[in-house]
C-alpha cells in the first residue's frame, strides 16, 4: 500500500533536504540518510499480477430485492459453489438461488426449518447440488438441489443427521471426499459426519477452551485448522484424533478466521486474519511444518468488522475482505520477504454484508479473468465482481494465468477417507478449446 502519498513529489528533493540538514547539524542521523537512499532506489516487485484489477458487473446483471437475514456473528452469510449461491433469509430460512439469477427477486423459494434456528450452512465441495444447514437442535439437515434450483419452499430435508443435543454452530465440507462434513457444536466440540451412513464417525480431541470461530481443510484433506475465541490456532489430524500443533494467534477479543494458502504443487501455509489487542486488524502466515513462530505478521488497518480470507491455490493469490467494508485487498504469496506481497485493492462505496470467491470454472479465461467474487450488500443486492489481469493480446489462451485446476469432483468416497485413504483431486484444463 502507498503509505506515503506524496512520495513522487518528495523524492526529488530528498538529497537537497539531506544536505541542508547536514549543513545545520553535522550529527544528522545516518538512519534518515539510509532511509532516503532506500526510497530512491526501491523498485516495484516484478509480478504478472501487479496490474490485477476488479470490476463489478453492470446493474442489469445483478440480483436485487433480497432479504439478508442473520446467522452466527462470526460467519460469512454468503455462500456459493459453481452453480448456486445461498444466504440466510430469516431465523430458520435459507434462500438458495442459481448463479444465473438476475433482476429483482423479492419472492424466492426457501429452505424452511420450523421452530429451529439456522446458525450456518455450507455447500458441498464436490457436489454442486448438495447443501447442508447447521441447526439449533443439534442436527445437520441435507438438501439435494434440483438442477434448475428449487421451485417452491422446502420444509423437509432429504436427510438429517443428529450430531448431538447441542446447537450446531458451523459446517465445513471435506475438499476431496464425498459426503464428509465437519460440524462445530455449542459445547466447543467438532464432529466428523458421514452422510453416507447418517452418523458421526469421528470427533476431534476436546482441546478448544472457547468457541471455535472457523474450520478449514488443507488441499489434501488430511489436516484441519481451527481458529478459536481462546486466541489459539490449532492444527488437527482428524483421523489420528490428534492435535498436530497449537499456537497463540490473534489476541483481540473478536473471533479470527483462517484458510490454507499456497500455489499448486508447492508448500501450503495457514493464513489467519483477526484482531490485535486493540482495534488493529492483522493477518498472520504460518508454516504447518514449523509452527514455533510466524512466517510473517501484517497489520492491515484499524477496524471493527470481521475479516474473511480467500485463497487462489492455483496462482498463489490471497484476497482479504471485511464484513461491512467496501474493499477487497489482494496479495501474492512469494518465497521472498515479506512473503505476502501487497498488490492492490478493489474499492467500492457499497459495503458488503458477505462476500464469497467462486470456483475457477466460473471465470472467463478469454478475458484473462482470474477470479470472480459475489458480494451481498445490506440493501439485498448480490453483485458479481471480476478480477482481470490486463494483457495486450488476449486472443489466445494464457496458460500462465490458468494452470489446470481442481474439477470439484470427489476423488474418494467417505468410506475410503475414513479408512485412511488419500487421493489427490482431479485436474482439468480451463482452455475453452479443451472443453
Amino acid at each position: 500500500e502507498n503509505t506515503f502519498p506524496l512520495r513522487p513529489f518528495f523524492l526529488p528533493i530528498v538529497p537537497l533536504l539531506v544536505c541542508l540538514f547536514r549543513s545545520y547539524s553535522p550529527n544528522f542521523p545516518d538512519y534518515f540518510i539510509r532511509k532516503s537512499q532506500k526510497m530512491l532506489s526501491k523498485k516495484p516487485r516484478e509480478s504478472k499480477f501487479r496490474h490485477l484489477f476488479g470490476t463489478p458487473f453492470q446493474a442489469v446483471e445483478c440480483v436485487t430485492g433480497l432479504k439478508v437475514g442473520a446467522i452466527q456473528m462470526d460467519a460469512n452469510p454468503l455462500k456459493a459453489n459453481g452453480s448456486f449461491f445461498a444466504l440466510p433469509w430469516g431465523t430458520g430460512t435459507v434462500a438458495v438461488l442459481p448463479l444465473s439469477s438476475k433482476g429483482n427477486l423479492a419472492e424466492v423459494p426457501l429452505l424452511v426449518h420450523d421452530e429451529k434456528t439456522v446458525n450456518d450452512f455450507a455447500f458441498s465441495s464436490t457436489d454442486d447440488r448438495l447443501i447442508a444447514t447447521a441447526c439449533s437442535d443439534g442436527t445437520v439437515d441435507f438438501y439435494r438441489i434440483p438442477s434448475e434450483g428449487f421451485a417452491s419452499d422446502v420444509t423437509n430435508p432429504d436427510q438429517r443427521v443428529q450430531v448431538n443435543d447441542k446447537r450446531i454452530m458451523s459446517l465445513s465440507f471435506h475438499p476431496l471426499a464425498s459426503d464428509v462434513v465437519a460440524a462445530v457444536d455449542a459445547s466447543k466440540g467438532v464432529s466428523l459426519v458421514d452422510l453416507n451412513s447418517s452418523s458421526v464417525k469421528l470427533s476431534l480431541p476436546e482441546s478448544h477452551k472457547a468457541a471455535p470461530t472457523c474450520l478449514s481443510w488443507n488441499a489434501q484433506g488430511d489436516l484441519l485448522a481451527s481458529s478459536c475465541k481462546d486466541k489459539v490456532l490449532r492444527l488437527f489430524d482428524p483421523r489420528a484424533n490428534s492435535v498436530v500443533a497449537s499456537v497463540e494467534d490473534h489476541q483481540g477479543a473478536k473471533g479470527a478466521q483462517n484458510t490454507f494458502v499456497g500455489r499448486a504443487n508447492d508448500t501450503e501455509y495457514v493464513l489467519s486474519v483477526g484482531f490485535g489487542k486493540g482495534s488493529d486488524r492483522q493477518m498472520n502466515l504460518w508454516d504447518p511444518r514449523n509452527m514455533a513462530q510466524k512466517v510473517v505478521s501484517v497489520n492491515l488497518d484499524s477496524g471493527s468488522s470481521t475479516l474473511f480470507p480467500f485463497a487462489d491455490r492455483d496462482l498463489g493469490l490471497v484476497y482479504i475482505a471485511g464484513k461491512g467494508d467496501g474493499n477487497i485487498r489482494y496479495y501474492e504469496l512469494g518465497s521472498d520477504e515479506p512473503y505476502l506481497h501487497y498488490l492492490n485493492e478493489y474499492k467500492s462505496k457499497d459495503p458488503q454484508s458477505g462476500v464469497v470467491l467462486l470456483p475457477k470454472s466460473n471465470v472467463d479465461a478469454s478475458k484473462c479473468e482470474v477470479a470472480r467474487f459475489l458480494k451481498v450488500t445490506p440493501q439485498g443486492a448480490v453483485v458479481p465482481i471480476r478480477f482481470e489481469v490486463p494483457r495486450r493480446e488476449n486472443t489466445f489462451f494464457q496458460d500462465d494465468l490458468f494452470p489446470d485446476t481442481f474439477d470439484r469432483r470427489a476423488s474418494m468416497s467417505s468410506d475410503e477417507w475414513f479408512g485412511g485413504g488419500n487421493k489427490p483431486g482431479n485436474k482439468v484444463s480451463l482452455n475453452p478449446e479443451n472443453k
Side-chain angles (χ1 to χ4, degrees):
E1 287 178 286
N2 186 5
T3 56
F4 195 172
L6 296 180
R7 180 177 290 177
F9 305 98
F10 175 74
L11 290 181
I13 64 171
V14 167
L16 178 60
L17 291 175
V18 170
C19 293
L20 288 173
F21 274 106
R22 274 203 152 172
S23 65
Y24 284 103
S25 174
N27 296 320
F28 182 69
D30 286 340
Y31 166 80
F32 292 102
I33 298 172
R34 293 194 301 271
K35 187 74 172 176
S36 65
Q37 291 171 342
K38 184 178 180 180
M39 290 166 61
L40 284 167
S41 62
K42 187 175 181 181
K43 296 180 180 179
R45 181 176 182 270
E46 290 297 324
S47 170
K48 59 188 168 188
F49 304 111
R50 276 180 57 197
H51 303 294
L52 178 66
F53 67 97
T55 307
F57 278 36
Q58 297 294 322
V60 294
E61 300 176 280
C62 301
V63 178
T64 58
L66 300 179
K67 176 182 176 182
V68 186
I71 51 177
Q72 65 146 323
M73 183 176 63
D74 297 308
N76 186 351
L78 184 62
K79 308 293 174 70
N81 60 21
S83 304
F84 302 95
F85 69 90
L87 69 166
W89 197 263
T91 301
T93 54
V94 177
V96 181
L97 298 167
L99 287 177
S100 58
S101 302
K102 297 178 184 178
N104 189 287
L105 299 178
E107 297 287 335
V108 299
L110 301 172
L111 305 181
V112 180
H113 301 71
D114 292 328
E115 301 179 358
K116 293 197 293 188
T117 299
V118 175
N119 296 312
D120 193 21
F121 49 92
F123 285 104
S124 168
S125 305
T126 60
D127 183 352
D128 276 4
R129 294 175 57 186
L130 178 62
I131 188 172
T133 56
C135 302
S136 56
D137 63 350
T139 62
V140 178
D141 288 350
F142 296 89
Y143 299 84
R144 293 286 175 183
I145 309 169
S147 57
E148 300 301 320
F150 294 111
S152 59
D153 288 356
V154 179
T155 55
N156 294 308
D158 292 288
Q159 199 164 340
R160 175 172 290 156
V161 177
Q162 186 75 48
V163 178
N164 53 37
D165 59 355
K166 307 295 183 182
R167 287 174 296 149
I168 306 302
M169 304 305 296
S170 65
L171 300 171
S172 181
F173 273 91
H174 192 279
L176 296 175
S178 61
D179 302 329
V180 178
V181 62
V184 178
D185 63 55
S187 64
K188 306 183 288 266
V190 180
S191 303
L192 276 296
V193 177
D194 179 13
L195 177 59
N196 190 43
S197 64
S198 293
S199 64
V200 174
K201 282 288 188 72
L202 297 172
S203 296
L204 297 188
E206 296 180 359
S207 58
H208 296 111
K209 308 303 180 186
T213 55
C214 178
L215 282 182
S216 67
W217 295 88
N218 68 342
Q220 292 302 314
D222 55 4
L223 288 178
L224 260 176
S226 76
S227 294
C228 184
K229 287 195 173 179
D230 62 9
K231 305 171 187 178
V232 174
L233 175 69
R234 295 175 175 86
L235 287 185
F236 295 91
D237 181 340
R239 291 175 296 187
N241 194 34
S242 66
V243 180
V244 177
S246 62
V247 291
E248 290 190 358
D249 201 12
H250 305 282
Q251 297 302 297
K254 292 188 176 182
Q257 302 284 317
N258 74 74
T259 188
F260 282 85
V261 300
R263 186 177 278 104
N265 303 317
D266 205 348
T267 302
E268 268 196 303
Y269 297 89
V270 181
L271 179 76
S272 64
V273 292
F275 293 82
K277 291 185 177 179
S279 59
D280 289 341
R281 299 194 295 185
Q282 56 189 206
M283 61 179 177
N284 295 334
L285 189 67
W286 302 88
D287 187 342
R289 300 166 301 180
N290 179 14
M291 299 281 283
Q293 62 181 10
K294 307 178 189 75
V295 176
V296 69
S297 182
V298 180
N299 282 330
L300 298 170
D301 58 15
S302 293
S304 59
S305 59
T306 301
L307 294 171
F308 297 109
F310 302 94
D312 181 335
R313 294 179 180 175
D314 294 335
L315 299 177
L317 298 178
V318 174
Y319 300 84
I320 307 294
K323 186 188 292 188
D325 295 347
N327 64 330
I328 301 174
R329 297 178 178 90
Y330 37 101
Y331 300 77
E332 183 178 9
L333 185 66
S335 58
D336 55 322
E337 293 184 356
Y339 303 104
L340 286 168
H341 300 276
Y342 175 78
L343 293 169
N344 209 332
E345 66 180 300
Y346 163 81
K347 294 182 180 180
S348 170
K349 61 181 178 59
D350 299 317
Q352 55 226 8
S353 298
V355 62
V356 64
L357 177 64
L358 297 182
K360 274 298 176 77
S361 57
N362 292 82
V363 304
D364 186 348
S366 67
K367 295 181 179 178
C368 297
E369 178 188 349
V370 297
R372 183 175 299 185
F373 280 82
L374 293 183
K375 87 170 189 178
V376 61
T377 70
Q379 292 74 36
V382 173
V383 181
I385 305 166
R386 65 169 63 91
F387 285 82
E388 301 167 80
V389 175
R391 290 281 168 94
R392 288 197 182 100
E393 181 61 63
N394 62 359
T395 56
F396 59 89
F397 181 69
Q398 311 280 336
D399 54 3
D400 64 318
L401 297 180
F402 302 102
D404 290 353
T405 191
F406 175 46
D407 67 358
R408 297 186 301 109
R409 296 178 182 176
S411 62
M412 55 189 151
S413 68
S414 59
D415 287 342
E416 288 177 303
W417 185 78
F418 281 113
N422 287 310
K423 290 183 180 179
N426 304 306
K427 297 290 187 78
V428 293
S429 172
L430 291 174
N431 189 336
E433 296 182 358
N434 296 336
K435 291 184 179 179

